[in-house]
């Protein structure tokens, strides 16, 4: 492994991975390929801008010519794919881009790599491909029953990864991470959205009864797990990556408000997300037993660090919350908030 293409490396988790591996592996050349969609942000990569082993290329993973050129030019031997449309609510409003990137884009990456004889590809997937589980924990062999257009397109992409391993013998691995939080996360996902809204004393729109459950994973743990699977994972295998910390949405919301010393009266119960998955939960037994990986950060400490980071880095998120972001906010929340209920 020498020249690694990190697609989607200007996003939240991809940039955390790039910041990590450029430092940890000075012997690797890290080439980021990113389309810079609304969620892609070169500010996320400022800390590595001057690193000699880091290069940025703007481009679409679904554009075969671009992918071929970059793979050739940098003599890529390994691909780590983070590139995706990632927000469930946007996938409900407009699924097209999700099919383009999360299905077709993954196929183009795989197929171009195969044609050029590149064997190693790690694909970053999500626990959402399993669907919802009322009790117990999903394990890797369980059926995929995705419920949102986002989850369905991620399932499509990862099944294509599987097919390229089985059919063409590519050395692929897949990780299915749980709900990830930390610095540099685009403020549409619930944690950075609620933190930045609460800083401004604005209402926090909690969907439905707020009793949905997510498993929370700190971004450094997520990128650490991807690093471990990239180096030690078995070709053809899929690994769950959970934070081992389940919480109801209402409790995450209250935790954030308390950390900011803001009142619970900012919470608004709003109309639910259509098809909202009630609970995500997965077991880390496989990655723990086979690769000796386990999350190291506690939810409490890392969420407090995350809240502090958004307080101290308004330069990063205030300029995002303008323009297209406000159009999306209006479309997603204006009616919901107008009809909202206060907490009792
Ligand atoms: P993000 O939305 O912050 O970043 C996605 C990045 O992909 C952006 O930089 C964007 O510009 C880029 N991109 C989008 N379409 C592209 C295309 N066609 N070509 C090239 N680049 C493109 O997402 P994230 O939260 O960092 O997620 C990264 C990966 O991890 C995704 O595959 C996602 O499905 C997966 N994942 C995320 C979470 C989470 O909680 N955030 C949990 C599990 C898995
Ligand atoms: P999100 O961050 O969108 O992640 P995902 O849907 O991929 O799990 O949402 C996390 C949880 O928070 C999910 O159950 C939906 C809920 N949520 C709200 O209640 N209000 C919001 O405004 C958002 C964005 C999410």
């Amino acid at each position: 492994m020498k020249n690694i293409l990190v697609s989607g490396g200007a996003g939240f988790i991809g940039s955390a991975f790039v910041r990590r591996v450029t430092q940890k592996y000075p012997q690797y050349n890290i080439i980021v390929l990113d389309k810079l969609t609304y969620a892609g942000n070169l500010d996320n990569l400022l800390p590595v801008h001057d690193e000699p082993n880091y290069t940025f290329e703007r481009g679409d993973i679904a554009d075969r010519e671009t992918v071929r050129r970059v793979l050739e030019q940098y003599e890529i031997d390994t691909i780590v794919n983070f590139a995706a449309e990632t927000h469930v609510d946007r996938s409900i409003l407009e699924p097209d881009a999700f099919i383009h990137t999360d299905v077709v884009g993954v196929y183009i990456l795989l197929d171009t790599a195969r044609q050029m004889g590149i064997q190693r590809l790690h694909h970053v997937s999500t626990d959402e491909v399993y669907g919802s589980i009322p009790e117990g924990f999903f394990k890797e062999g369980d059926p995929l029953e995705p419920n949102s257009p986002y989850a369905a397109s991620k399932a499509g992409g990862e099944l294509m990864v599987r097919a390229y391993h089985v059919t063409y013998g590519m050395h692929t691995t897949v990780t299915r991470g749980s709900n990830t939080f930390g610095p540099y996360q685009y403020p549409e996902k619930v944690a950075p959205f609620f933190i930045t809204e609460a800083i401004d004393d604005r209402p926090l729109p909690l969907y439905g009864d707020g009793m949905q459950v997510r498993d929370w994973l700190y971004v450094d743990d997520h990128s650490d797990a991807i690093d471990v699977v990239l180096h030690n994972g078995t070709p053809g295998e899929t690994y769950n990556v959970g934070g081992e910390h389940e919480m109801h949405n209402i409790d995450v919301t209250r935790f954030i408000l308390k950390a900011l010393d803001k009142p619970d009266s900012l919470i608004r119960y709003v109309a639910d997300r259509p098809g909202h998955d009630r609970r995500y939960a997965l077991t880390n037994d496989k990655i723990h037993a086979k690769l000796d990986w386990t999350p190291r950060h506690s939810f409490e400490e890392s969420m407090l660090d995350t809240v502090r980071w958004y307080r101290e880095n308004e330069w990063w998120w205030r300029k995002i919350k303008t323009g297209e972001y406000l159009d999306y906010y209006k479309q997603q929340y204006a009616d919901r908030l107008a009809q909202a209920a206060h907490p009792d």
Side-chain angles (χ1 to χ4, degrees):
M1 213 184 300
K2 187 167 182 296
N3 301 321
I4 305 180
L5 183 79
V6 181
S7 42
F12 164 51
I13 308 170
S15 68
F17 180 78
V18 170
R19 294 191 302 271
R20 172 191 190 87
V21 293
T22 44
Q23 297 289 324
K24 188 172 166 192
Y25 306 108
Q27 70 275 28
Y28 295 166
N29 295 312
I30 306 299
I31 296 90
V32 171
L33 173 65
D34 197 294
K35 189 177 177 182
L36 296 180
T37 66
Y38 76 94
N41 186 347
L42 287 177
D43 285 347
N44 301 358
L45 293 166
L46 278 179
V48 296
H49 184 265
D50 296 325
E51 294 295 336
N53 61 341
Y54 158 77
T55 311
F56 181 80
E57 286 275 349
R58 185 172 191 176
D60 186 339
I61 59 162
D63 177 9
R64 197 184 281 272
E65 284 318 305
T66 302
V67 173
R68 182 191 300 279
R69 178 187 61 77
V70 172
L71 294 180
E72 246 167 31
Q73 185 174 336
Y74 297 97
E75 299 178 10
I76 299 296
D77 48 52
T78 303
I79 299 172
V80 184
N81 180 43
F82 293 87
E85 290 291 334
T86 60
H87 193 41
V88 173
D89 291 324
R90 290 189 192 247
S91 83
I92 294 167
L93 295 172
E94 281 175 47
D96 289 32
F98 289 75
I99 309 299
H100 174 83
T101 296
D102 303 11
V103 182
V104 179
V106 176
Y107 155 69
I108 297 285
L109 259 189
L110 284 162
D111 200 55
T112 315
R114 176 186 69 86
Q115 286 177 350
M116 296 178 61
I118 298 166
Q119 280 286 310
R120 186 73 186 94
L121 183 143
H122 177 76
H123 179 67
V124 180
S125 190
T126 166
D127 62 355
E128 302 194 26
V129 296
Y130 292 116
S132 190
I133 187 165
E135 54 193 34
F137 302 91
F138 284 121
K139 54 187 184 309
E140 287 81 353
D142 287 345
L144 305 189
E145 295 181 338
N147 293 318
S148 70
Y150 164 65
S153 55
K154 289 296 291 185
E158 81 155 81
L159 290 176
M160 195 57 81
V161 175
R162 174 189 161 86
Y164 271 65
H165 168 72
V166 174
T167 307
Y168 303 110
M170 275 180 74
H171 291 198
T172 58
T173 45
V174 171
T175 42
R176 294 185 183 138
S178 62
N179 275 67
T180 306
F181 67 97
Y184 300 101
Q185 185 171 28
Y186 191 86
E188 65 188 351
K189 304 292 189 324
V190 77
F193 177 46
F194 281 9
I195 293 167
T196 55
E197 292 292 276
I199 287 173
D200 284 346
D201 300 303
R202 288 165 54 83
L204 309 188
L206 195 59
Y207 295 151
D209 62 2
M211 290 301 285
Q212 303 82 3
V213 173
R214 296 292 183 265
D215 171 58
W216 291 95
L217 172 66
Y218 189 51
V219 65
D220 287 359
D221 281 329
H222 197 160
S223 76
D224 182 49
I226 292 167
D227 180 359
V228 167
V229 172
L230 179 67
H231 286 91
N232 302 319
T234 302
E237 294 292 319
T238 296
Y239 300 88
N240 286 347
V241 180
E244 300 180 2
H245 194 91
E246 281 183 58
M247 275 178 91
H248 291 108
N249 289 342
I250 179 67
D251 295 324
V252 175
T253 308
R254 290 201 180 111
F255 186 96
I256 288 170
L257 286 168
K258 188 154 181 259
L260 286 165
D261 200 20
K262 300 283 183 179
D264 283 2
S265 58
L266 287 179
I267 298 170
R268 299 289 185 284
Y269 289 95
V270 300
D272 209 349
R273 169 188 281 175
H276 197 169
D277 283 332
R278 195 71 180 163
R279 176 170 175 263
Y280 295 145
L282 72 184
T283 168
N284 278 335
D285 284 355
K286 180 174 174 179
I287 192 168
H288 184 59
K290 301 282 185 197
L291 302 177
D292 196 24
W293 183 88
T294 195
R296 277 180 303 201
H297 293 84
S298 82
F299 174 85
E300 286 75 13
E301 268 179 48
S302 44
M303 187 57 96
L304 288 175
D305 285 350
T306 300
V307 168
R308 190 175 315 117
W309 188 87
Y310 286 93
R311 279 177 101 138
E312 291 172 357
N313 289 280
E314 296 195 8
W315 70 272
W316 183 84
W317 56 266
R318 284 216 183 270
K319 62 184 170 190
I320 293 175
K321 290 184 131 189
T322 55
E324 190 274 344
Y325 180 94
L326 295 180
D327 296 340
Y328 168 74
Y329 177 92
K330 200 169 158 210
Q331 189 178 7
Q332 182 64 20
Y333 296 110
D335 288 349
R336 279 188 161 90
L337 282 167
Q339 293 154 17
H342 281 268
D344 33 36

